Amino acid sequence: MKTPIILGIESSCDDTSAAVIQGKKILSNVVSTQKIHQNYGGVVPELASRAHLQNIIPVVHQAIQLANINKKAIDAISFTRGPGLLGSLLVGTSFAKSLSMSLNVPLIEVNHMQGHIFAHFIEDESKENISFPFLCLTVSGGHTQIVQVNDYFNMEVLGETLDDAAGEAFDKIGKILGLEYPAGPTIDKLSQNGDKDKFKFPLPKLEGIKFSFSGIKTSVLYFIQKELQKNPDFIKENLEDICASVQKTILSSLLDKLKLAIEITGIKNVAIAGGVSANSELRREIKKLELEKNCKTFIPKFEYTTDNAAMIAVVGSIKYEHNKFSDLKTIATARYKM
Ligand code: KG4
Ligand code: ZN
């Protein structure tokens, strides 16, 4: 039997993406990041859905071309049903439905957060395969959670953020510092030459596996306002140190709670996923758990950290194997639980 070919479509936020997978091997993964939001300090939902409408046909077309397949070879279409921005999700969902009808192939809905975790199942010869059960710190612009993954379709959220997500904290603090959206990658870069112990920002002490990042945003805001009154060039003169100190604070919370989850569950396979897992310091720090906690750690390939359709395609492929299909009544769902 031929290994099934799945087309994956992702449009939950500000990246329009399409990917083709055969089994668990990625044949193409095209991501078109919408630049229009840079000027606004965050994603403008109305503009995002319009840009998806413009991008989706060329992006899907390019993914099929790069995979070097005929569209008639596609066995199923997987798409992000949610969570995400409703207008953005509607574009991908409607497009996936229409294409599945016209090609007469089944439709497979995918939860975006499950997609981030499943990026670890994409075939990669340079990496050891991850095995169940594992813990996954899933950190993006909309979510921060620690998930216990027992099997493909058996996972439990052990804890999450009470307010802002870690990526959201990077982006909002970046905005205070005058950085373009998304600020996460810029803060990561600037931190590399900064002194992470120069400034101290408090984090709330929370019991158990819980996160909170709205306080650090406010404390950075008040701190910056106070310093700017004394020295109008404060940000310019201290940008790298501020970034490194902010990054250290956010990462220390993520790492502390991940260590707690390892202690509570006794699970020794530990993964990270989502946009913030692109962070170079987080990627370095996670590796240290191997010695410190006697764990095996799994870091996604850089291109599968921020939003991409390869991760949606691999969920599609695994659901296809398990005969988990959706029907044309499936609707885009902004708050879609895993
Ligand atoms: O997973 P993702 O692409 O979209 C959502 O599902 O939200 O994550 C985007 C988030 C943004 O907040 C962005 O600033 C953050 O991931 N991010 C980073 C880095 N690269 C992306 N944060 C810190 N360091 C990075 N290198
Ligand atoms: Zn995401």
Side-chain angles (χ1 to χ4, degrees), residues 167-182:
E168 194 178 353
F170 274 107
D171 297 337
K172 287 180 172 168
I173 291 170
K175 193 174 175 184
I176 297 169
L177 301 175
L179 305 177
E180 264 182 5
Y181 175 85

Side-chain angles (χ1 to χ4, degrees), residues 120 124 127 270-272 277 282-284 286-287 297-302 305:
H120 286 283
D124 180 355
K127 241 174 67 175
V270 180
I272 52 174
S277 71
L282 179 61
R283 291 165 87 88
R284 264 194 302 276
I286 288 290
K287 277 275 156 237
T297 60
F298 299 86
I299 296 172
K301 250 191 172 166
F302 192 75
T305 54

Side-chain angles (χ1 to χ4, degrees), residues 10 12 112-113 116 140-141 274-275 305-307 311:
E10 155 64 31
S12 65
H112 179 86
M113 297 314 293
H116 276 302
S140 69
T305 54
T306 49
D307 289 349
M311 67 188 201

Side-chain angles (χ1 to χ4, degrees), residues 8 16 57 85 110 114 134 139 166 179 199 214-216 231 326 330:
T16 319
I57 292 177
L85 300 170
V110 175
Q114 190 178 17
F134 64 90
V139 264
L179 305 177
F199 304 109
S214 72
I216 179 177
N231 171 11
S326 312
T330 309

